[in-house]
Amino acid sequence: MKRLVILISGRGSNMQALVEAGLPVVAVLSNRADAAGLAWARARGIGTEVLDHRAYPDRDAFDRALEAAIDRHRPDVVALAGFMRILSAAFVEHYRGRLLNIHPSLLPAFTGLHTHERAIAAGVKCHGATVHLVTAELDHGPIVAQAIVPVRLDDDAERLAARVLRGEHQIYPRAVRWLLEGNLEINEGRVRTRDAQPQHLWADRPAEDL
Ligand code: GRF
């Protein structure tokens, strides 16, 4: 049986999607005790643990403690699901090829925060979400799957975010399953599925958008 550890900092809706997809989640870890997703996980009998980053002298010390806590669960894959911490190069290297993140934009556009506001301000017509393998550079790393969401003229950040989130909940479980099952192959930074499954998803596409 493969083993998945999820890291969260807040709401945890992506974590929920991973659990509900039947993935083998063995633990949910958070850097914040008040992360709403923790209660949801506990209520389902999933082991949770909190490591408050403020209790450590610096990033490296926290990352080392986090790594030890994760490794006690012997994960095959670690999924970041709204984990709001920049990770040190040593941490990322330790989980090379096993660490996934979901980011609310079509990378490489709109790395960082406030992606929905920035997409609307830029006037892009397509936005979305990306699952990628984590590398030392923030929001970079080989792209595993993307959900494409049309931007409507009357969108505000909140409405757009809600539609993107629905796309996130569809692609993240698929991508994590691919990695757990050894279905991904990386060649010169490009990721493909061994069984040629589509790695893009047209989320929320009514007929008038065609
Ligand atoms: C999601 O939009 C995810 O893409 C980003 O942070 C948000 C987390 O939401 N990394 P949730 O905690 O999974 O509901």
Side-chain angles (χ1 to χ4, degrees):
M1 182 73 163
K2 296 286 184 177
R3 302 170 66 85
L4 172 65
V5 167
I6 303 176
L7 306 190
I8 65 170
S9 295
R11 176 176 60 184
S13 70
N14 277 290
M15 169 208 69
Q16 212 169 308
L18 296 175
V19 172
E20 284 171 348
L23 293 169
V25 180
V26 293
V28 173
L29 274 57
S30 175
N31 63 316
R32 298 186 55 116
D34 61 355
L38 287 173
W40 188 93
R42 277 187 209 118
R44 274 144 198 90
I46 298 168
T48 64
E49 196 174 334
V50 175
L51 275 89
D52 188 338
H53 57 277
R54 293 167 302 191
Y56 296 84
D58 54 34
R59 186 178 303 284
D60 286 344
F62 172 71
D63 281 6
R64 276 196 303 275
L66 182 62
E67 187 178 303
I70 294 170
D71 286 351
R72 279 195 282 278
H73 298 284
R74 295 175 285 106
D76 298 284
V77 172
V78 177
L80 307 177
F83 187 63
M84 301 302 285
R85 294 276 310 165
I86 291 174
L87 297 163
S88 58
F91 180 96
V92 170
E93 178 57 28
H94 180 73
Y95 296 105
R96 182 142 61 109
R98 296 189 287 152
L99 185 59
L100 285 173
N101 182 42
I102 184 146
H103 179 78
S105 77
L106 293 175
L107 290 173
F110 309 118
T111 58
L113 297 173
H114 311 300
T115 55
H116 308 302
E117 287 88 335
R118 288 159 59 210
I120 290 171
V124 296
K125 305 307 172 204
C126 284
H127 185 45
T130 302
V131 179
H132 65 97
L133 285 154
V134 177
T135 55
E137 197 180 347
L138 185 70
D139 297 332
H140 284 68
I143 291 173
V144 177
Q146 291 188 306
I148 303 143
V149 175
V151 181
R152 301 185 199 297
L153 290 175
D154 61 351
D155 264 336
D156 57 22
E158 203 180 322
R159 267 202 300 270
L160 182 56
R163 297 207 311 284
V164 170
L165 196 62
R166 283 203 292 277
E168 295 184 31
H169 297 162
Q170 291 175 276
I171 58 171
Y172 209 9
R174 284 185 211 184
V176 171
R177 194 181 299 279
W178 289 335
L179 188 57
L180 281 165
E181 291 177 349
N183 191 20
L184 297 179
E185 226 172 58
I186 309 175
N187 190 9
E188 292 179 356
R190 298 175 70 189
V191 182
R192 68 180 195 97
T193 53
R194 290 184 204 277
D195 59 356
Q197 289 194 46
Q199 289 164 268
H200 68 286
L201 174 116
W202 297 98
D204 181 42
R205 188 173 63 165
E208 68 265 24
D209 285 322
L210 292 174

